[in-house]
Amino acid sequence: MSYTVEGSTGAWEVVVGLEVHAQVVSESKLFSGAATAFGAEPNTQVSLVDAGFPGMLPVPNRECVAQAVRTGLGLGAEIHLWSRFDRKNYFYADLPQGYQISQYAHPVVGEGAVEIELADGARKRVGITRLHLEQDAGKSLHDQHPSKSYIDLNRSGVALMEIVSEPDMRSPEEAGAYLTKLRQIMRYLGTCDGNMDEGSLRADVNVSVRKPGEGFRTRCEVKNVNSIRFVMQAVEAEARRQVEVWEEGGTVRQETRLFDTARGVTRSMRSKEEAHDYRYFPDPDLPPLVLEQGWVEELKAALPELPDARRARYARDFGLSPYDAHVLVLEKETAAYFEEVAHGRDPKLAANWVMGDLFAALNRTRRGIENPPVSARDLGALLDLMGDGTLSGKLAKEVFEAMVETGQAPGAIVEERGLRQVTDTGAIEEAARAVLDGNAGKVAEYRGGKDKLFGFFVGQVMKAMAGKGNPALVNDVLKKLLG
Amino acid sequence: MTRPTDFTLRGALDALAAREISAEELARAHLDAIEALNPRLNAYVAVTGERALERARASDARRARGEAGPLEGVPLGIKDLFCTEGVRTTAGSRILGDFVPPYESTVTANLLRDGAVFLGKTNLDEFAMGSSNTTSAAGPVENPWNRRNDPDTRLVPGGSSGGSAAAVAARLALGATATDTGGSIRQPAAFCGIAGMKPTYGRCSRWGVVAFASSLDQAGPMARTVEDCATLLRSMSGFDPKDSTSADMPVPDFAAACGRSVKGLRIGVPCEYRLDGMPAEIEALWQQGLEWLREAGAETVEISLPHAKYALPTYYIVAPAEASSNLARYDGVRYGLRVEERDGDLQDLYERTRAAGFGAEVKRRIMIGTYVLSAGYYDAYYLKAQKVRALIKRDFDEVFAASGAKVDAIVTPATPSAAFGMDEKQDDPVAMYLNDVFTVTANLAGLPGLSVPAGLDTQGLPLGLQVIGRAFDEETVFAVGAALERAAAFEALPAVMAGKTARAAG
Amino acid sequence: MSLDADTVRRVASLARIRMEPAELARMEAELNGILGWVEQLQAVPTEGVEPMAGGGAVSLRLREDAVADGGKAEAVLANAPDREGAYFGVPKVVE
Ligand SMILES: [Mg+2]
Ligand SMILES: [Zn+2]
């Protein structure tokens, strides 16, 4: 069922396109040798190029270009061997040069697409219009002084990829799924760390509404939304607002708006109200960016496996369910963890442990997969102990909990706590005889046909053995003695 | 003995090598001359005497250790468009305030590496925008030459490198750095009776030079002889990875090329440079120059550069467009002047700072540049100009073609007139722009151009001839320029110069 | 094409240069003079001509990705007209 906003005049369809700014993973900035690391002291990661000093000139970073090309390839997009940097001219306190170097007329990456998955299992293709490289601006701090803004240029000149989608999304969910997918692909590629808390990924959300069957109506751009959840909320809030405007007989004005996360509404941006005229023109400090096909091929050959391919492989080679495969590839760290556990073992068992016990432990300990309480190697070793009969499934769960608590390897825990399961039939027989002797009445009932009691005997034997009896052997022994 | 300020650069290097003079004595003589004449000429906006003497002594010490560089001990003037570490740099504008760069431009760093001694920063038109050096925030520069029959009229030195040109002509430096975006080396060189070379675009790094129009700006030398320009250029140029437009090309021994014969060279004479209303004496000098070259064994060939006549209007779209963007960084936030009202907002700060900081000509060009790039006008102006620029370059490509070239170099007048009075041509911007009519094509096409003093007009003012060459073939340009220089045997001297005035005063 | 007073005012605002009415009027006349003169370019046939943007090289050189700059906050801030500790200061910006 498709998403609509119900107004007094009926249902409205929502049209969404995203312009995503993704910070490129690189050591140094797009046009200067200053560092890009997050959280440095103000103005310490600034070259005189980034600060727009007189006579300073930009020199582009090869790795940033490579990252843009890798991302383009990962989006199945066309790579433009000839592209160019333009200047986007405007005055702003944190824009030191008075212009942003961007790729307006000739982006390095052209059309591509991503496929998104929706909660109901449906899949949808979202078109990518283009991807280009550009500089980030600095940061203004408005809350440090009653009448002043403070400017920190550490971010100034950091490389961004601006990824523009087609207006192909029709609901908050689709917008969220698209951004999730984009983030996932870039994290697999290692081209953007996707860290939204640190501003590595921001989205300008273009929203319009229309009656089903209509052409596009005027859109508004909600600027700089910095989480997937907020993107979804912003789409919803902005769509509702526009429906109200139209239904009250008004006209939606094309403008840039801000999403007020506290109140869950969008509002007009005062500072951006002035009509823009960016006066784009080719940056005369930078000749055209001409790439060699061979270099692009090299980058392509070295691309890592992407989530869609990986998910297909898990289903095909490991026999995992589509859902399990989907969950395991969501984060590349999870997939890597899973693959280490599954290596040389039963993949389905590995998947169950990762998605079950490990995920629960992550939740409980509030830790991420990149810093898990149990390493993939240790979890693998635990599976091996089950495989060779050292541990029963039940014991393994117990050992796993101990591993979460202590961080110890499973072997050490088994030794220390004497949790090794008993596979000695003599010992089992001894325990079983004692149970049967102490429950002569129930033995008689069982022999009289009350089969259900078998479970009772198993339970009693396991209890007597402190849970360490090998369940299969306990079954065998009891059947023999009761037989 | 030669007065130290009368040395050519080559002569000074020889005298230094022969220990006939020390770098310190040479610097001191020039500083004394500056002290005597600069109050009148205003060629320097800042004199760094202490620094110069210190560097000169260090230079003498290096020479004594046998570590003399190619410019060891040579005192130079530095156009105040080059950022100099620890020395205030103004670009001739109020807007830079007391800006002191924490860096040295690549070109000046190269000169220091080779042993040069900087006397100070020379005056210029504000942000290098002008042809008369009257737009400087530090006041106008006076041309050391005067009209024979009208010695009281103060003349402009040309621009924008007017301070460098006047300093070299008046012997307040053995040579100077300059920059040329539309003629700013060649036109003032011609007006002041000295030589000036704008090299191929990309030959000298633009790193650390305050930008005017990035696709046209080139640094180059000014000196009293062609060979001295060649010597300076060798030190100034070279590949710089910090400038994405710097050419990764070997730097030849330009001075050696000055001695090359021009025999067999084909010299192009573009018919489009014969302007209506051009003074007869300029046409005569041009013909004389061509005759000298024929006498030296070169062949002169009539050529056509059909789009040359559109070069000036093309330039006055392209250069202001780039400038309007390049000058956006002067906003009163990180350095330079700031003008703000109590309780004014950021917009107000920008507008007041830039209103107070920029002079009239700079504002005019920023306005033109902003307009031609703005929505709705880009195609009609900026894009059109870029296309005409491509045609202008194509004209040159055809005459200089690698195979079946029509010519090896082109010779034209350097300017359409001799130096004019400080009060003339100030009211009409377009009339002022016409000064660059012969020089601007080389900037648009990125080609090397040299101005050589070749004669005097009827008023006794110097006139120059221009040699334009193939990209990165400065050697042929120097060879042709040196041949013209030898034939012209230009020996006239300006009215105001070191020694001369001292004598008059004494 | 010629500029009217409104356009001149808009351009001055885009360029962030404060101009009093008298200056705007003078600027209007001067700009129209210059633009009238460059109008001659419209006579040049340029169909199919590739616009020439830069002055030099046909393609960009790329530098290696290494931290080789920064760590000089003092130099960056030393010329600031309003330095607020480790920051540049400007009048408060309202978004
Ligand atoms: Mg946007
Ligand atoms: Zn962007």
Side-chain angles (χ1 to χ4, degrees), chain A residues 48 51-59 87 89 91-93 96-97 99 277 279-282 285 287, chain B residues 103 206-209 214 241-242 244 325-326 328-330 334-335 346 350 370 373-375 378 382:
Chain A
L48 299 169
F53 270 54
M56 293 298 95
L57 297 171
V59 181
R87 292 185 184 176
N89 295 282
F91 285 85
Y92 205 69
Q97 294 158 306
Y99 54 82
D277 190 339
R279 291 158 284 136
Y280 287 99
F281 76 109
D285 288 330
Chain B
Y103 47 94
R206 293 184 298 111
W207 193 87
V209 185
S214 311
K242 292 187 289 189
S244 295
S325 178
N326 282 335
R329 65 188 59 201
Y330 305 101
R334 295 163 312 287
Y335 46 76
L346 182 61
Y350 287 152
T370 303
L373 289 176
S374 65
Y378 182 91
Y382 184 70

Short mmCIF file of all heavy atoms in Angstrom, two decimals, chain A residues 48 51-59 87 89 91-93 96-97 99 277 279-282 285 287, chain B residues 103 206-209 214 241-242 244 325-326 328-330 334-335 346 350 370 373-375 378 382:
data_model
loop_
_atom_site.label_atom_id
_atom_site.label_comp_id
_atom_site.label_asym_id
_atom_site.label_seq_id
_atom_site.Cartn_x
_atom_site.Cartn_y
_atom_site.Cartn_z
N LEU A 48 46.81 27.80 5.17
CA LEU A 48 46.47 29.15 4.72
C LEU A 48 45.62 29.10 3.45
O LEU A 48 44.95 30.07 3.11
CB LEU A 48 47.75 29.96 4.53
CG LEU A 48 48.55 30.11 5.85
CD1 LEU A 48 49.92 30.69 5.58
CD2 LEU A 48 47.79 30.96 6.85
N ALA A 51 42.13 28.89 4.79
CA ALA A 51 41.73 30.14 5.42
C ALA A 51 41.60 31.26 4.38
O ALA A 51 41.33 32.40 4.74
CB ALA A 51 42.72 30.53 6.51
N GLY A 52 41.84 30.94 3.11
CA GLY A 52 41.65 31.93 2.04
C GLY A 52 42.63 33.09 2.12
O GLY A 52 42.27 34.24 1.87
N PHE A 53 43.88 32.80 2.44
CA PHE A 53 44.86 33.89 2.50
C PHE A 53 45.24 34.33 1.08
O PHE A 53 45.12 33.56 0.12
CB PHE A 53 46.10 33.44 3.30
CG PHE A 53 45.99 33.73 4.77
CD1 PHE A 53 44.88 33.29 5.50
CD2 PHE A 53 46.96 34.47 5.44
CE1 PHE A 53 44.75 33.57 6.85
CE2 PHE A 53 46.84 34.75 6.80
CZ PHE A 53 45.75 34.31 7.50
N PRO A 54 45.71 35.58 0.95
CA PRO A 54 46.03 36.10 -0.38
C PRO A 54 47.10 35.24 -1.06
O PRO A 54 48.11 34.88 -0.44
CB PRO A 54 46.59 37.50 -0.08
CG PRO A 54 46.01 37.88 1.25
CD PRO A 54 45.88 36.59 2.01
N GLY A 55 46.87 34.93 -2.31
CA GLY A 55 47.87 34.22 -3.10
C GLY A 55 47.94 32.73 -2.84
O GLY A 55 48.78 32.05 -3.43
N MET A 56 47.08 32.21 -1.99
CA MET A 56 47.10 30.77 -1.72
C MET A 56 46.33 30.04 -2.82
O MET A 56 45.32 30.55 -3.31
CB MET A 56 46.49 30.47 -0.35
CG MET A 56 47.31 31.03 0.80
SD MET A 56 48.98 30.29 0.90
CE MET A 56 49.96 31.48 0.01
N LEU A 57 46.80 28.86 -3.18
CA LEU A 57 46.22 28.15 -4.33
C LEU A 57 45.86 26.71 -3.98
O LEU A 57 46.56 26.08 -3.19
CB LEU A 57 47.23 28.15 -5.49
CG LEU A 57 47.60 29.53 -6.06
CD1 LEU A 57 48.76 29.40 -7.03
CD2 LEU A 57 46.41 30.16 -6.75
N PRO A 58 44.79 26.21 -4.58
CA PRO A 58 44.34 24.84 -4.32
C PRO A 58 45.11 23.81 -5.16
O PRO A 58 45.37 24.05 -6.32
CB PRO A 58 42.88 24.87 -4.77
CG PRO A 58 42.85 25.89 -5.87
CD PRO A 58 43.90 26.92 -5.53
N VAL A 59 45.49 22.70 -4.53
CA VAL A 59 46.08 21.57 -5.27
C VAL A 59 45.31 20.31 -4.87
O VAL A 59 45.27 19.95 -3.70
CB VAL A 59 47.58 21.39 -4.93
CG1 VAL A 59 48.17 20.24 -5.73
CG2 VAL A 59 48.36 22.67 -5.20
N ARG A 87 33.64 27.48 -9.40
CA ARG A 87 33.48 28.24 -8.16
C ARG A 87 32.00 28.61 -7.98
O ARG A 87 31.37 29.07 -8.91
CB ARG A 87 34.30 29.53 -8.19
CG ARG A 87 35.80 29.30 -8.16
CD ARG A 87 36.49 30.65 -8.09
NE ARG A 87 37.93 30.51 -8.15
CZ ARG A 87 38.75 31.55 -8.17
NH1 ARG A 87 38.26 32.80 -8.13
NH2 ARG A 87 40.06 31.38 -8.22
N ASN A 89 30.00 31.17 -5.94
CA ASN A 89 30.32 32.41 -5.23
C ASN A 89 29.22 32.85 -4.27
O ASN A 89 28.09 33.07 -4.69
CB ASN A 89 30.57 33.53 -6.24
CG ASN A 89 31.79 33.27 -7.10
OD1 ASN A 89 32.92 33.46 -6.65
ND2 ASN A 89 31.57 32.81 -8.32
N PHE A 91 28.92 34.93 -0.09
CA PHE A 91 29.60 35.39 1.12
C PHE A 91 28.99 34.70 2.33
O PHE A 91 27.78 34.66 2.48
CB PHE A 91 29.43 36.91 1.28
CG PHE A 91 30.28 37.69 0.33
CD1 PHE A 91 29.85 37.96 -0.97
CD2 PHE A 91 31.54 38.17 0.71
CE1 PHE A 91 30.64 38.68 -1.85
CE2 PHE A 91 32.33 38.89 -0.17
CZ PHE A 91 31.87 39.15 -1.45
N TYR A 92 29.85 34.15 3.16
CA TYR A 92 29.38 33.60 4.42
C TYR A 92 30.55 33.57 5.40
O TYR A 92 31.69 33.41 5.00
CB TYR A 92 28.78 32.20 4.24
CG TYR A 92 27.79 31.87 5.32
CD1 TYR A 92 26.56 32.53 5.38
CD2 TYR A 92 28.10 30.96 6.32
CE1 TYR A 92 25.67 32.28 6.39
CE2 TYR A 92 27.21 30.69 7.34
CZ TYR A 92 25.99 31.35 7.38
OH TYR A 92 25.10 31.11 8.39
N ALA A 93 30.23 33.71 6.67
CA ALA A 93 31.29 33.87 7.67
C ALA A 93 32.26 32.70 7.69
O ALA A 93 33.45 32.88 7.92
CB ALA A 93 30.68 34.04 9.05
N PRO A 96 35.81 31.04 3.77
CA PRO A 96 36.92 32.01 3.74
C PRO A 96 37.24 32.57 2.37
O PRO A 96 37.62 33.73 2.25
CB PRO A 96 38.11 31.20 4.26
CG PRO A 96 37.53 30.05 4.99
CD PRO A 96 36.22 29.75 4.32
N GLN A 97 37.11 31.79 1.30
CA GLN A 97 37.50 32.30 0.00
C GLN A 97 36.43 33.20 -0.62
O GLN A 97 36.69 33.88 -1.60
CB GLN A 97 37.77 31.13 -0.96
CG GLN A 97 38.98 30.30 -0.56
CD GLN A 97 38.90 28.90 -1.17
OE1 GLN A 97 37.91 28.19 -1.01
NE2 GLN A 97 39.94 28.50 -1.85
N TYR A 99 34.04 31.82 -1.98
CA TYR A 99 33.43 30.88 -2.92
C TYR A 99 33.76 29.48 -2.46
O TYR A 99 34.72 29.24 -1.74
CB TYR A 99 33.94 31.11 -4.35
CG TYR A 99 35.45 31.10 -4.50
CD1 TYR A 99 36.16 29.90 -4.61
CD2 TYR A 99 36.18 32.28 -4.53
CE1 TYR A 99 37.54 29.89 -4.75
CE2 TYR A 99 37.56 32.28 -4.66
CZ TYR A 99 38.24 31.08 -4.77
OH TYR A 99 39.59 31.07 -4.90
N ASP A 277 22.38 34.03 -6.27
CA ASP A 277 22.94 34.10 -7.61
C ASP A 277 24.39 33.71 -7.44
O ASP A 277 25.23 34.54 -7.12
CB ASP A 277 22.79 35.52 -8.16
CG ASP A 277 23.14 35.58 -9.64
OD1 ASP A 277 23.85 34.67 -10.12
OD2 ASP A 277 22.71 36.53 -10.31
N ARG A 279 26.72 32.67 -9.37
CA ARG A 279 27.72 33.06 -10.36
C ARG A 279 28.78 31.97 -10.56
O ARG A 279 29.98 32.22 -10.48
CB ARG A 279 28.38 34.39 -9.98
CG ARG A 279 27.42 35.57 -10.09
CD ARG A 279 27.85 36.73 -9.25
NE ARG A 279 27.57 36.49 -7.84
CZ ARG A 279 28.42 36.76 -6.85
NH1 ARG A 279 29.58 37.28 -7.12
NH2 ARG A 279 28.09 36.51 -5.60
N TYR A 280 28.32 30.76 -10.78
CA TYR A 280 29.26 29.65 -11.04
C TYR A 280 30.11 29.98 -12.27
O TYR A 280 29.61 30.48 -13.27
CB TYR A 280 28.48 28.39 -11.37
CG TYR A 280 27.79 27.73 -10.21
CD1 TYR A 280 26.43 27.93 -9.99
CD2 TYR A 280 28.49 26.86 -9.38
CE1 TYR A 280 25.78 27.29 -8.94
CE2 TYR A 280 27.84 26.21 -8.33
CZ TYR A 280 26.48 26.44 -8.11
OH TYR A 280 25.86 25.80 -7.10
N PHE A 281 31.39 29.70 -12.19
CA PHE A 281 32.24 29.74 -13.39
C PHE A 281 33.45 28.84 -13.13
O PHE A 281 33.74 28.52 -11.98
CB PHE A 281 32.64 31.19 -13.75
CG PHE A 281 33.71 31.79 -12.86
CD1 PHE A 281 34.99 32.01 -13.36
CD2 PHE A 281 33.44 32.14 -11.55
CE1 PHE A 281 35.98 32.58 -12.56
CE2 PHE A 281 34.43 32.71 -10.74
CZ PHE A 281 35.70 32.92 -11.24
N PRO A 282 34.11 28.39 -14.19
CA PRO A 282 35.23 27.46 -14.02
C PRO A 282 36.31 28.08 -13.13
O PRO A 282 36.71 29.22 -13.36
CB PRO A 282 35.75 27.23 -15.43
CG PRO A 282 34.75 27.82 -16.36
CD PRO A 282 33.86 28.73 -15.59
N ASP A 285 42.01 28.61 -11.19
CA ASP A 285 43.20 28.07 -10.54
C ASP A 285 43.38 26.57 -10.82
O ASP A 285 44.40 26.00 -10.45
CB ASP A 285 43.12 28.26 -9.01
CG ASP A 285 43.30 29.71 -8.61
OD1 ASP A 285 44.02 30.44 -9.32
OD2 ASP A 285 42.73 30.11 -7.58
N PRO A 287 43.04 23.52 -13.71
CA PRO A 287 42.75 22.95 -15.03
C PRO A 287 41.73 21.80 -14.89
O PRO A 287 41.47 21.35 -13.78
CB PRO A 287 44.11 22.41 -15.49
CG PRO A 287 45.12 23.11 -14.65
CD PRO A 287 44.45 23.44 -13.36
N TYR B 103 54.18 33.95 5.05
CA TYR B 103 54.77 33.12 4.00
C TYR B 103 55.43 33.99 2.94
O TYR B 103 55.14 35.18 2.83
CB TYR B 103 53.70 32.24 3.34
CG TYR B 103 52.42 32.97 2.97
CD1 TYR B 103 52.25 33.50 1.70
CD2 TYR B 103 51.41 33.17 3.91
CE1 TYR B 103 51.09 34.19 1.36
CE2 TYR B 103 50.25 33.86 3.58
CZ TYR B 103 50.10 34.37 2.31
OH TYR B 103 48.96 35.06 1.99
N ARG B 206 52.37 31.22 -9.41
CA ARG B 206 51.51 32.27 -8.88
C ARG B 206 51.31 32.13 -7.37
O ARG B 206 50.62 32.95 -6.75
CB ARG B 206 50.14 32.23 -9.59
CG ARG B 206 50.21 32.59 -11.05
CD ARG B 206 48.83 32.64 -11.71
NE ARG B 206 48.18 31.35 -11.67
CZ ARG B 206 47.10 31.07 -10.94
NH1 ARG B 206 46.54 32.00 -10.17
NH2 ARG B 206 46.58 29.86 -10.95
N TRP B 207 51.91 31.12 -6.77
CA TRP B 207 51.71 30.88 -5.35
C TRP B 207 52.28 32.04 -4.52
O TRP B 207 53.47 32.39 -4.66
CB TRP B 207 52.36 29.56 -4.93
CG TRP B 207 51.94 29.12 -3.55
CD1 TRP B 207 50.85 28.37 -3.23
CD2 TRP B 207 52.61 29.41 -2.31
NE1 TRP B 207 50.79 28.18 -1.87
CE2 TRP B 207 51.84 28.80 -1.28
CE3 TRP B 207 53.75 30.15 -1.98
CZ2 TRP B 207 52.21 28.89 0.06
CZ3 TRP B 207 54.12 30.24 -0.64
CH2 TRP B 207 53.34 29.61 0.36
N GLY B 208 51.45 32.63 -3.73
CA GLY B 208 51.89 33.73 -2.88
C GLY B 208 51.84 35.09 -3.55
O GLY B 208 52.26 36.08 -2.97
N VAL B 209 51.33 35.13 -4.78
CA VAL B 209 51.12 36.42 -5.44
C VAL B 209 49.63 36.74 -5.32
O VAL B 209 48.79 35.92 -5.68
CB VAL B 209 51.51 36.35 -6.93
CG1 VAL B 209 51.40 37.74 -7.56
CG2 VAL B 209 52.93 35.80 -7.09
N SER B 214 43.22 35.01 -12.29
CA SER B 214 44.09 33.83 -12.19
C SER B 214 44.49 33.23 -13.54
O SER B 214 45.59 32.69 -13.65
CB SER B 214 43.39 32.75 -11.37
OG SER B 214 42.90 33.30 -10.17
N PRO B 241 54.86 22.73 -7.44
CA PRO B 241 53.70 21.86 -7.22
C PRO B 241 52.58 22.53 -6.43
O PRO B 241 51.47 22.02 -6.39
CB PRO B 241 54.29 20.67 -6.44
CG PRO B 241 55.61 21.12 -5.93
CD PRO B 241 56.09 22.21 -6.83
N LYS B 242 52.84 23.68 -5.83
CA LYS B 242 51.80 24.37 -5.07
C LYS B 242 50.85 25.18 -5.96
O LYS B 242 49.87 25.73 -5.49
CB LYS B 242 52.43 25.28 -4.02
CG LYS B 242 53.14 24.48 -2.91
CD LYS B 242 53.61 25.36 -1.77
CE LYS B 242 54.79 26.21 -2.20
NZ LYS B 242 55.42 26.92 -1.07
N SER B 244 48.65 24.72 -9.31
CA SER B 244 48.15 23.71 -10.26
C SER B 244 48.29 24.16 -11.71
O SER B 244 48.10 23.36 -12.62
CB SER B 244 46.69 23.39 -9.97
OG SER B 244 46.56 22.78 -8.71
N SER B 325 35.56 37.29 -8.15
CA SER B 325 35.60 36.10 -7.30
C SER B 325 36.87 36.07 -6.45
O SER B 325 36.83 35.82 -5.24
CB SER B 325 35.52 34.87 -8.20
OG SER B 325 35.60 33.69 -7.46
N ASN B 326 38.01 36.38 -7.06
CA ASN B 326 39.28 36.37 -6.33
C ASN B 326 39.29 37.37 -5.17
O ASN B 326 39.96 37.15 -4.17
CB ASN B 326 40.45 36.70 -7.26
CG ASN B 326 40.86 35.51 -8.12
OD1 ASN B 326 40.64 34.36 -7.75
ND2 ASN B 326 41.46 35.79 -9.26
N ALA B 328 36.74 38.27 -3.37
CA ALA B 328 35.66 38.05 -2.39
C ALA B 328 36.23 37.74 -1.01
O ALA B 328 35.57 37.94 0.01
CB ALA B 328 34.75 36.91 -2.85
N ARG B 329 37.47 37.23 -0.98
CA ARG B 329 38.07 36.85 0.31
C ARG B 329 38.40 38.06 1.18
O ARG B 329 38.66 37.91 2.37
CB ARG B 329 39.31 36.00 0.08
CG ARG B 329 40.45 36.71 -0.60
CD ARG B 329 41.57 35.75 -0.96
NE ARG B 329 41.10 34.69 -1.85
CZ ARG B 329 41.71 33.52 -2.01
NH1 ARG B 329 42.81 33.27 -1.36
NH2 ARG B 329 41.23 32.62 -2.84
N TYR B 330 38.41 39.23 0.58
CA TYR B 330 38.71 40.43 1.38
C TYR B 330 37.41 40.90 2.02
O TYR B 330 36.67 41.71 1.45
CB TYR B 330 39.39 41.50 0.51
CG TYR B 330 40.62 40.91 -0.14
CD1 TYR B 330 40.62 40.49 -1.47
CD2 TYR B 330 41.77 40.67 0.62
CE1 TYR B 330 41.72 39.88 -2.04
CE2 TYR B 330 42.88 40.06 0.06
CZ TYR B 330 42.85 39.67 -1.26
OH TYR B 330 43.95 39.04 -1.81
N ARG B 334 39.28 37.56 8.42
CA ARG B 334 40.49 36.84 8.83
C ARG B 334 41.76 37.68 8.85
O ARG B 334 42.73 37.36 9.51
CB ARG B 334 40.70 35.61 7.92
CG ARG B 334 39.60 34.58 8.09
CD ARG B 334 39.57 33.61 6.96
NE ARG B 334 39.61 34.26 5.66
CZ ARG B 334 38.60 34.95 5.12
NH1 ARG B 334 37.44 35.04 5.76
NH2 ARG B 334 38.72 35.55 3.97
N TYR B 335 41.75 38.76 8.07
CA TYR B 335 42.91 39.65 8.02
C TYR B 335 42.47 40.94 7.36
O TYR B 335 41.39 41.00 6.77
CB TYR B 335 44.06 39.01 7.21
CG TYR B 335 43.61 38.40 5.90
CD1 TYR B 335 43.31 39.19 4.80
CD2 TYR B 335 43.42 37.02 5.79
CE1 TYR B 335 42.86 38.64 3.62
CE2 TYR B 335 42.97 36.46 4.60
CZ TYR B 335 42.69 37.28 3.52
OH TYR B 335 42.23 36.74 2.34
N LEU B 346 26.54 40.94 9.98
CA LEU B 346 27.69 40.51 9.18
C LEU B 346 27.63 41.11 7.78
O LEU B 346 28.64 41.56 7.23
CB LEU B 346 27.70 38.98 9.11
CG LEU B 346 28.86 38.35 8.35
CD1 LEU B 346 30.20 38.69 8.97
CD2 LEU B 346 28.68 36.84 8.26
N TYR B 350 30.49 43.33 5.96
CA TYR B 350 31.06 43.08 4.62
C TYR B 350 30.95 44.33 3.76
O TYR B 350 31.91 44.76 3.13
CB TYR B 350 30.26 41.98 3.91
CG TYR B 350 30.45 40.56 4.40
CD1 TYR B 350 29.42 39.62 4.26
CD2 TYR B 350 31.65 40.13 4.97
CE1 TYR B 350 29.58 38.30 4.67
CE2 TYR B 350 31.81 38.81 5.39
CZ TYR B 350 30.76 37.90 5.24
OH TYR B 350 30.91 36.61 5.64
N THR B 370 30.99 40.83 -11.42
CA THR B 370 29.82 40.24 -10.77
C THR B 370 28.66 40.20 -11.75
O THR B 370 27.95 39.19 -11.86
CB THR B 370 29.44 41.07 -9.52
OG1 THR B 370 30.57 41.13 -8.65
CG2 THR B 370 28.27 40.44 -8.78
N LEU B 373 28.91 37.54 -14.66
CA LEU B 373 28.77 36.14 -14.22
C LEU B 373 27.36 35.85 -13.71
O LEU B 373 27.02 34.70 -13.45
CB LEU B 373 29.77 35.83 -13.10
CG LEU B 373 31.24 35.73 -13.48
CD1 LEU B 373 32.09 35.50 -12.23
CD2 LEU B 373 31.47 34.61 -14.48
N SER B 374 26.55 36.90 -13.57
CA SER B 374 25.29 36.69 -12.87
C SER B 374 24.26 36.05 -13.79
O SER B 374 24.37 36.08 -15.02
CB SER B 374 24.76 37.99 -12.27
OG SER B 374 24.44 38.89 -13.29
N ALA B 375 23.26 35.46 -13.14
CA ALA B 375 22.24 34.70 -13.86
C ALA B 375 21.62 35.54 -14.95
O ALA B 375 21.25 36.69 -14.74
CB ALA B 375 21.18 34.23 -12.88
N TYR B 378 25.49 35.50 -18.02
CA TYR B 378 26.69 34.67 -18.14
C TYR B 378 26.97 34.32 -19.60
O TYR B 378 28.08 34.51 -20.10
CB TYR B 378 26.47 33.40 -17.30
CG TYR B 378 27.64 32.45 -17.28
CD1 TYR B 378 28.62 32.55 -16.29
CD2 TYR B 378 27.75 31.44 -18.24
CE1 TYR B 378 29.67 31.67 -16.26
CE2 TYR B 378 28.81 30.55 -18.20
CZ TYR B 378 29.78 30.66 -17.22
OH TYR B 378 30.82 29.79 -17.20
N TYR B 382 30.20 36.38 -20.30
CA TYR B 382 31.37 35.58 -19.89
C TYR B 382 31.64 34.44 -20.87
O TYR B 382 32.76 34.25 -21.34
CB TYR B 382 31.18 35.05 -18.47
CG TYR B 382 32.39 34.30 -17.99
CD1 TYR B 382 33.57 34.97 -17.69
CD2 TYR B 382 32.37 32.91 -17.88
CE1 TYR B 382 34.70 34.29 -17.29
CE2 TYR B 382 33.50 32.23 -17.47
CZ TYR B 382 34.66 32.91 -17.18
OH TYR B 382 35.77 32.23 -16.79
#
